[in-house]
Amino acid sequence: MKGVPFSVFMSDALYGDFGYYMTDRNRFGRRGDFYTSAQVSPVFGRLLALQILREAPSGEPLSLVEIGCGDGDLAVALLQGLASFSEENRRIRYAAIDRSQVSLTRTRERLTAFSAQCADCRVEWSTFASMEALLAYDLTFRGAFLIGNEVLDALPCELINVDLARISDLSATAASRAVREGRMIENQRIDGTPLEIAYTGEPCREASVYAKSFVSPLVRSGHLPKAGVHHVEVPIAYRSFLQSIANTLSPREMILLDYGGETADVIAADRPRGSLRGYQHHRLVDPLSSPGDVDITYDVDFSYVREILEEVGYVVDPLTRQGSYLMGIISRANATQHVVSESEYGALKHLVMPGGLGDRFVVCVAHRDKEAV
């Protein structure tokens, strides 16, 4: 069958020469296609800054890397928080990494304006297109803190459909036969209708392994029915991405925030079509409808993320919903740290309340040197 794996299509639609993240468009905020927590309010970044300072050794320079910096909203809020809450003489260093030159340019503009208003010589910042470029500039960023806000959901995935009657069989042969890989057909339509996905019985090895390790147990446990076809997003890019971070930057702590949950949250009986979706002008649209003009995304399987992080030597805290995580930071702040102003209470509710960002988003924190409890 002609066509390319869905992951190739998604990578090109998001990161190709005319991809969604690579061209000069409004992606975030009211004039864009969606909000992240960083655009809702700077209190989000300030709270993360306060938590990082709680974990950082006292008296040492603080180095922070943000991977996937977007338009710089989170960067400014983080640096404002770090400058406000840290000791007066503490040196603060921030590095932004993003493969999009548009994002790096916008982040530089935001940080230049911040520096002009801040007059705090302790704060230093820089931007880079890759982790390797950062370390070529300054090797001492190895072992820094690392934040990634809504990065994982934008990494290309494979699409598979799984024959639930077959996947529960423990034999590798039966499990592989239960999985069919999604392919984007080559003959793109010219009448304006969306592209289509066809499925082949020759899935990539990682898709089959993921289905056997993460989907099959859900069928055997009764979480999924033992018949029918279930569509699943396989995050094939996570392993290489997280391994590269661990091997290259070796962060002392990673804070990864995204929508999703444990495997059982993401792959559920009431979601037989999976979680793949597109966003345009704050509306859900067909993710195949207009490649390059639509944000393509899916829910993050943090059970898989945890497995990979533990494989590369990190200790992962129990997953926390964003609302509980942020409120926990506030509850631990001392009386002299004015974290949330009265005018920001409304925005804080959007960040923490159930039914919205508060329980839609998950916080995954991984430590390099912390012993498992």
Side-chain angles (χ1 to χ4, degrees):
M1 181 187 67
K2 291 184 178 181
V4 297
F6 178 79
S7 61
V8 175
F9 165 81
M10 183 173 175
S11 179
D12 194 48
L14 295 181
Y15 303 108
D17 290 343
F18 301 100
Y20 180 79
Y21 285 105
M22 309 303 279
T23 52
D24 190 8
R25 68 177 68 244
N26 291 317
R27 295 184 293 268
F28 309 110
R30 182 174 298 177
R31 294 186 300 165
D33 298 313
F34 59 91
Y35 284 94
T36 72
S37 295
Q39 279 91 44
V40 171
S41 172
V43 72
F44 176 70
R46 291 206 306 274
L47 289 173
L48 293 179
L50 188 58
Q51 179 62 22
I52 290 170
L53 287 168
R54 289 186 73 251
E55 299 289 336
S58 180
E60 294 182 10
L62 191 147
S63 299
L64 172 64
V65 176
E66 183 187 358
I67 194 155
C69 59
D71 284 359
D73 299 274
L74 182 54
V76 171
L78 282 167
L79 291 181
Q80 287 174 337
L82 292 174
S84 298
F85 301 135
S86 63
E87 303 100 318
E88 286 188 10
N89 296 321
R90 186 169 212 163
R91 185 182 174 203
I92 299 167
R93 304 187 309 149
Y94 166 88
I97 298 175
D98 204 297
R99 63 195 296 182
S100 167
Q101 288 300 321
V102 173
S103 292
L104 292 178
T105 297
R106 292 176 178 176
T107 297
R108 283 193 292 267
E109 291 171 353
R110 296 290 304 279
L111 291 176
T112 299
F114 163 77
S115 296
Q117 296 172 359
C118 182
D120 190 335
C121 62
R122 296 178 299 139
V123 178
E124 306 165 13
W125 58 266
S126 48
T127 62
F128 302 92
S130 68
M131 293 179 282
E132 292 76 13
L134 166 59
L135 293 187
Y137 172 78
D138 189 344
L139 271 174
T140 63
F141 269 96
R142 270 185 66 87
F145 287 86
L146 180 137
I147 282 184
N149 182 46
E150 294 198 47
V151 175
L152 295 173
D153 68 272
L155 296 180
C157 66
E158 288 296 4
L159 291 184
I160 59 173
N161 65 27
V162 180
D163 184 337
L164 299 179
R166 286 185 169 186
I167 194 65
S168 59
D169 192 315
L170 292 176
S171 73
T173 301
S176 65
R177 287 176 179 170
V179 178
R180 295 167 63 86
E181 179 188 317
R183 297 272 178 138
M184 294 302 304
I185 58 174
E186 289 182 348
N187 53 326
Q188 180 172 344
R189 305 208 176 172
I190 59 175
D191 60 359
T193 58
L195 297 169
E196 290 184 322
I197 300 171
Y199 288 86
T200 173
E202 301 176 358
C204 69
R205 180 180 179 278
E206 189 162 358
S208 295
V209 170
Y210 178 86
K212 188 170 187 298
S213 300
F214 290 90
V215 183
S216 178
L218 298 180
V219 178
R220 296 198 301 272
S221 69
H223 178 80
L224 291 177
K226 291 182 169 59
V229 174
H230 205 94
H231 291 261
V232 176
E233 298 82 26
V234 181
I236 61 167
Y238 287 8
R239 188 174 301 279
S240 60
F241 177 71
L242 294 171
Q243 285 177 343
S244 179
I245 290 175
N247 294 336
T248 306
L249 292 178
S250 187
R252 66 182 303 143
E253 182 176 297
M254 299 187 212
I255 304 175
L256 304 172
L257 306 100
D258 228 309
Y259 36 75
E262 301 277 8
T263 306
D265 302 318
V266 175
I267 305 174
D270 61 353
R271 305 176 80 183
R273 303 300 300 177
S275 65
L276 185 75
R277 56 197 181 274
Y279 285 105
Q280 191 174 43
H281 307 312
H282 298 281
R283 295 180 180 177
L284 283 170
V285 298
D286 186 332
L288 313 181
S289 61
S290 185
D293 293 323
V294 171
D295 178 40
I296 303 174
T297 186
Y298 56 94
D299 282 4
V300 173
D301 181 353
F302 278 100
S303 299
Y304 187 48
V305 172
R306 179 173 55 230
E307 177 181 278
I308 298 168
L309 289 172
E310 289 174 347
E311 286 176 0
V312 296
Y314 280 77
V315 174
V316 182
D317 290 346
L319 297 179
T320 311
R321 293 289 166 178
Q322 179 174 289
S324 299
Y325 183 76
L326 296 180
M327 292 305 295
I329 297 172
I330 293 173
S331 69
R332 292 187 294 270
N334 64 49
T336 63
Q337 293 169 322
H338 303 292
V339 182
V340 184
S341 68
E342 214 172 300
S343 63
E344 293 175 317
Y345 286 157
L348 178 64
K349 286 183 179 180
H350 285 294
L351 294 171
V352 303
M353 291 295 287
L357 299 180
D359 59 13
R360 185 83 176 86
F361 281 77
V362 170
V363 184
C364 177
V365 181
H367 309 265
R368 188 190 60 203
D369 299 322
K370 180 179 178 181
E371 292 186 5
V373 179

